[in-house]
Amino acid sequence: GGLFADKIANMILSELDDSKGGSRKVKGYQKRRQYYAKGNYYKLENQKSPFTHLIYPVPTSGGLGVHATIDLSGSTKFGPDVQWIDPQIIDPEEIDLNPDPSRAKDFYSEVRKYWPGIEDGNLVPDYAGIRPKLGHPDIAESGSLKADFCIDGPMNHGVRGFVNLLGIESPGLTSSLAIGEYVRNILDICDS
């Protein structure tokens, strides 16, 4: 599901009713909504990087801060930032995946918090990605911007065998085995 997990779950759950094998709990299930944040990355050029390992600054609202990474070719990249997407956009395919060059000033400011020696003109837009979010700063009732994964199983919606995973960003990759084990445990408990 990924960026479409909310739409898939809402479609499945709204199709069910008591006559089709669903449960009364499905009718009361609150539909989920994911919002989107674009993460821009900039690449260091024309200056030697002082870093030999990852640098993670203090997290910011909605993200982990603009951090420094070194790719397999040895290039240093900075990002992602958090560029909130208009909450009216519900189809992630409508989002422009080109990095936003107008965010360079903010990148310099963020990088200089841990590397004051970066020289102007040496960051160039590199790439961008989209992250699913459970909250949005422009929607008061949307939920916390610090909200992490949301895992809804049969105990939440009443549909046997259905588990919905929402808002899983890149840390979900590093915790995917633990998430898989958690989902298996949910299904085991609901089947017993």
Side-chain angles (χ1 to χ4, degrees):
L3 296 176
F4 295 96
D6 57 333
K7 290 149 196 66
I8 293 168
N10 293 335
M11 179 181 60
I12 290 169
L13 296 173
S14 68
E15 295 275 325
L16 296 174
D17 61 30
D18 289 339
S19 65
K20 295 180 184 171
S23 73
R24 295 191 187 281
K25 200 164 187 182
V26 171
K27 287 187 176 182
Y29 178 73
Q30 184 175 356
K31 287 187 172 188
R32 299 287 188 177
R33 164 79 199 271
Q34 291 187 133
Y35 301 91
Y36 305 106
K38 182 176 178 177
N40 295 281
Y41 287 81
Y42 277 67
K43 182 178 179 179
L44 178 66
E45 290 189 349
N46 304 315
Q47 186 175 359
K48 183 171 173 25
S49 174
F51 307 116
T52 57
H53 54 79
L54 301 174
I55 303 292
Y56 278 87
V58 175
T60 60
S61 178
L64 295 176
V66 173
H67 47 275
T69 58
I70 301 156
D71 67 18
L72 294 175
S73 70
S75 296
T76 300
K77 299 178 188 265
F78 299 95
D81 63 349
V82 178
Q83 182 178 4
W84 290 101
I85 301 300
D86 181 337
Q88 299 300 315
I89 294 178
I90 59 172
D91 182 353
E93 292 182 359
E94 294 177 20
I95 301 168
D96 179 7
L97 287 176
N98 291 303
D100 186 344
S102 72
R103 300 182 72 81
K105 182 178 177 184
D106 292 335
F107 266 79
Y108 282 103
S109 174
E110 290 301 311
V111 171
R112 283 190 173 117
K113 290 178 181 176
Y114 55 88
W115 183 26
I118 188 169
E119 298 171 9
D120 286 341
N122 290 344
L123 290 180
V124 295
D126 194 34
Y127 66 97
I130 302 298
R131 299 188 304 262
K133 297 289 196 175
L134 297 176
H136 193 287
D138 295 343
I139 309 293
E141 66 279 0
S142 69
S144 169
L145 299 183
K146 296 178 181 176
D148 214 346
F149 316 157
C150 175
I151 300 176
D152 287 338
M155 66 284 203
N156 303 104
H157 49 63
V159 179
R160 185 172 179 259
F162 179 67
V163 179
N164 191 27
L165 292 82
L166 294 153
I168 297 181
E169 302 181 45
S170 59
L173 180 60
T174 56
S175 55
S176 61
L177 295 176
I179 291 171
E181 184 176 337
Y182 183 76
V183 168
R184 187 195 71 215
N185 290 339
I186 289 172
L187 295 172
D188 287 348
I189 290 168
C190 292
D191 281 345
S192 57

